[in-house]
Amino acid sequence: MVTEILDADKQWYQQARFGLFIHWGLYSLAARHEWVRTYEEIPEKEYDRKYRDHFDPDLYNPEEWADAAEKAGMKYVVLTVKHHDGFCLWDSRFSDYNSCNCPAEKDLLKPFLDAFRKRGLRVGLYYSLIDWHHPDFVIDQHHPLRNSSDALQKKRDQKKYSEYLYNQVEELLTDYGKIDILWFDFSYGDPDSPLDFSKGKGKEAWESEKLVAMVRRKQPHILLNDRHGLDDDDSWDFKTPEQFMPREWYRYKGEKTVWEACQTFSGSWGYFRDEHDWRSSRQILATLIQCVSSGGNLLMNIGPDGRGKIDERALSRMDSIGKWMRLNGRSVYGCTAPPEKYSVPSNCMMTYNPERRSLYIHIFNWPYKHLHLDGQVYPEDAVYAQFLHDGSEVQFKGLEEWQEHAALDAGFDPKKSLTLLLPQKEPDVIIPVIELFLG
C-alpha cells in the first residue's frame, strides 16, 4: 500500500499514531535480551529446562497492562504471540510448545485480547516467521545450533515448517476474533541462492504468497506489515523502520507510504534487568512528534518481566507520557506532516490536523519572548493561537505591524512573517505546544 491514506476501514491507524509493542515470553526469565538463545547458542534442552519449565507468570494481569497503555495515550497494541524461540502464548493445536504446557498452564492470549478490546484499543499480533524450536526449520546463520555438527547432520524440511506456520497463523485469525494488525518478523533471504535456506530465508521459505492470500481472505480488514518478503503493493499496508528515525516522510519506490517506526525504551525488546541506558519521557515524546510530523506512527515497546509485571522504568515513563498526551494529544491524534508551504521555526517541530485546519508548534528550546514564523503567509492564514496545555491565548502580530525593520534586516519579508508573543517563563510542560488555527 503506497498511498498517503489507507482504505476507509483502515484509516483508524493513521488517526491513532501511537501504539504499544510488547515483547514477552520465555526469554523474559533470562532477562538479558530476547535473542538470548542464539546469542549464547543455548541448546534446546537447556533452554527449556531453565525457562519453559519455570515460566510461571503468576503476576500477569493484562488488565493492568491495558490500563497502562490507555493512560499513556496509546491507541493500539501488538503482542509477540510467538517470537524466534518458537514458544507460543496461546493454546495452539499445532504445537505443545505453548503456555498451556508449562507452569503457567493457561492460554495467555485470550485474556490479553479481552482486556485491550474492552478499553477500545485495537489489537495486533506479532508472529515470528523464524522458529528455532521447530524440527523442520532449516538451520541458518541466526539459529542457536549453527555450530552444532550433530544438529547440522539431521535432515530438515522447510516446506513442512511453512505448512506449520500457515496453520498457526490461520488458527490465530480464526479462533481469536477480529485482529486489527498482523506483524510478521522477518525475512532475510539470500538473493543469489533464494532456495538455499541454510543461507537465509525469504518469501520462498515462508511460501509468502499463499500465506498472505490466506490472511487477506480470513480477515480482509487487517493491516499487514512488510516483513514477509513480498514486494508487490497489495501484500503489505505499512513499512516498519526499526530503531532509527527517518529524516522525512518514509518513501517506497520514490513515493510517500504509510509507515510506523518501532523503537524501544532502552536497547532490548525483551525484559533486560541490567540495562540502564533508558531514554527519558521527553526523548520518547520528541520521537513521537517527529514521527507524526513526517506522516508516520510510533510503536513503542515494553518488555514485561518473567512474572508478568511491566518494568517500573517503563511504567514511570508511560505515566509521564500519558500526562502530556492528556493535555497535548490533539497535536498527535489525526495529525500528519504540515503543508509544505509552512516552514518550521528553529528548535521546533510541527504537526498538522487537516480536519481542524490547525498547526501544532512543539517548542523544544524556549525562545526569548518571540517565536517567529518566517517566510510564509501566516499573517493571512492565522485566526487564533493558544497553548494546548491550558487553552490560554497566545497573541501574535505580523512583523509588518510592529517590527518591519527587524524583519528586513534579517532578510525576511515582513508581509510573510508572523510573530507569536510568548511569556518570558517557559510553561511547566515537558514540551510546550501552541495550536495555531488557520482560516
Side-chain angles (χ1 to χ4, degrees):
M1 179 72 65
V2 290
T3 56
E4 292 182 16
I5 300 297
L6 290 167
D7 296 339
D9 64 343
K10 299 173 182 177
Q11 289 182 13
W12 68 265
Y13 180 75
Q14 290 181 302
Q15 297 292 313
R17 289 305 187 200
F18 192 26
L20 177 64
F21 214 174
I22 302 178
H23 277 64
W24 189 52
L26 300 185
Y27 46 83
S28 302
L29 293 175
R32 56 184 186 275
H33 207 284
E34 70 285 352
W35 280 52
V36 62
R37 190 182 164 206
T38 192
Y39 283 170
E40 300 178 15
E41 299 186 38
I42 303 174
E44 185 171 304
K45 288 184 179 179
E46 179 184 347
Y47 188 80
D48 290 350
R49 177 180 58 79
K50 285 183 174 182
Y51 308 129
R52 183 194 60 182
D53 294 354
H54 295 91
F55 187 57
D56 184 17
D58 58 317
L59 299 181
Y60 170 55
N61 185 342
E63 299 285 344
E64 292 179 354
W65 292 12
D67 280 342
E70 183 180 32
K71 290 176 181 176
M74 293 157 165
K75 297 297 185 182
Y76 62 101
V77 64
V78 178
L79 173 68
T80 56
V81 294
K82 188 195 83 166
H83 205 262
H84 305 334
D85 63 3
F87 184 77
C88 305
L89 297 183
W90 79 99
D91 187 13
S92 177
R93 296 189 298 277
F94 301 98
S95 174
D96 60 3
Y97 198 56
N98 65 57
S99 58
C100 291
N101 294 295
C102 69
E105 294 186 331
K106 59 186 174 184
D107 185 316
L108 299 172
L109 175 56
K110 187 178 185 305
F112 173 90
L113 295 173
D114 290 344
F116 280 82
R117 285 169 175 154
K118 184 167 66 177
R119 287 159 180 79
L121 276 72
R122 301 276 186 158
V123 293
L125 306 180
Y126 166 112
Y127 183 92
S128 172
L129 299 171
I130 300 168
D131 194 319
W132 299 326
H133 173 80
H134 197 281
D136 281 305
F137 185 88
V138 173
I139 295 174
D140 56 34
Q141 67 270 32
H142 294 306
H143 201 285
L145 303 180
R146 58 191 174 274
N147 293 315
S148 169
S149 57
D150 289 342
L152 290 169
Q153 291 175 9
K154 294 181 180 178
K155 186 177 180 181
R156 293 171 178 247
D157 186 346
Q158 186 70 25
K159 183 171 179 57
K160 289 183 179 179
Y161 172 70
S162 68
E163 292 172 357
Y164 167 81
L165 183 163
Y166 181 102
N167 289 335
Q168 280 206 320
V169 172
E170 186 176 39
E171 177 181 52
L172 288 166
L173 299 182
T174 301
D175 295 351
Y176 289 89
K178 181 181 178 182
I179 304 300
D180 299 292
I181 296 173
L182 186 57
W183 221 99
F184 287 129
D185 196 30
F186 63 98
S187 295
Y188 50 103
D190 186 322
D192 297 323
S193 305
L195 298 179
D196 185 349
F197 302 133
S198 67
K199 293 183 177 181
K201 296 178 178 63
K203 61 183 180 181
E204 297 84 4
W206 326 125
E207 298 188 30
S208 294
E209 291 184 2
K210 177 182 174 184
L211 177 66
V212 168
M214 178 269 290
V215 171
R216 297 296 195 201
R217 184 174 64 254
K218 293 291 294 185
Q219 300 213 22
H221 65 277
I222 207 165
L223 282 167
L224 188 59
N225 76 335
D226 62 333
R227 300 194 177 190
H228 43 58
L230 297 177
D231 295 327
D232 55 291
D233 298 353
D234 293 333
S235 66
W236 53 269
D237 297 296
F238 62 96
K239 285 289 184 180
T240 56
E242 178 176 333
Q243 295 288 54
F244 79 94
M245 179 54 59
R247 296 177 64 183
E248 59 181 14
W249 199 310
Y250 201 89
R251 294 176 183 268
Y252 175 71
K253 295 182 179 179
E255 299 292 330
K256 291 179 179 178
T257 188
V258 179
W259 66 276
E260 169 192 84
C262 53
Q263 298 186 14
T264 57
F265 280 105
S266 54
S268 174
W269 298 90
Y271 177 62
F272 202 137
R273 182 192 60 209
D274 301 330
E275 193 167 51
H276 302 297
D277 58 340
W278 280 60
R279 297 153 72 187
S280 68
S281 302
R282 189 175 191 272
Q283 286 176 300
I284 300 303
L285 284 169
T287 300
L288 173 60
I289 295 162
Q290 188 174 356
C291 285
V292 178
S293 72
S294 298
N297 288 22
L298 176 63
L299 187 64
M300 201 66 213
N301 181 78
I302 62 171
D305 66 24
R307 295 189 68 182
K309 302 192 320 304
I310 299 176
D311 192 311
E312 287 298 328
R313 295 169 291 185
L315 280 176
S316 66
R317 285 159 176 80
M318 291 173 73
D319 180 67
S320 179
I321 290 167
K323 290 176 180 176
W324 186 91
M325 289 290 286
R326 185 171 66 85
L327 300 176
N328 299 284
R330 194 187 298 172
S331 70
V332 172
Y333 305 130
C335 290
T336 186
E340 292 183 2
K341 71 176 184 175
Y342 296 116
S343 57
V344 182
S346 299
N347 300 309
C348 297
M349 293 183 195
M350 287 202 313
T351 59
Y352 176 66
N353 188 311
E355 291 187 7
R356 293 178 61 88
R357 285 191 51 77
S358 290
L359 279 173
Y360 297 96
I361 306 161
H362 304 79
I363 307 174
F364 290 88
N365 188 8
W366 194 251
Y368 178 61
K369 291 187 179 180
H370 305 132
L371 181 64
H372 302 294
L373 309 178
D374 292 314
Q376 302 299 335
V377 291
Y378 289 104
E380 296 177 13
D381 292 354
V383 174
Y384 181 72
Q386 65 179 8
F387 282 115
L388 269 188
H389 69 276
D390 64 357
S392 61
E393 181 182 7
V394 176
Q395 293 180 301
F396 56 82
K397 292 183 178 181
L399 284 178
E400 189 177 28
E401 299 178 57
W402 69 293
Q403 211 178 21
E404 181 173 348
H405 66 282
L408 291 173
D409 289 346
F412 299 116
D413 182 350
K415 295 181 180 180
K416 293 184 178 180
S417 296
L418 186 75
T419 292
L420 299 169
L421 310 180
L422 303 180
Q424 183 162 298
K425 187 179 185 301
E426 181 178 358
D428 186 19
V429 184
I430 296 178
I431 300 171
V433 183
I434 294 174
E435 181 176 32
L436 181 63
F437 294 87
L438 304 176

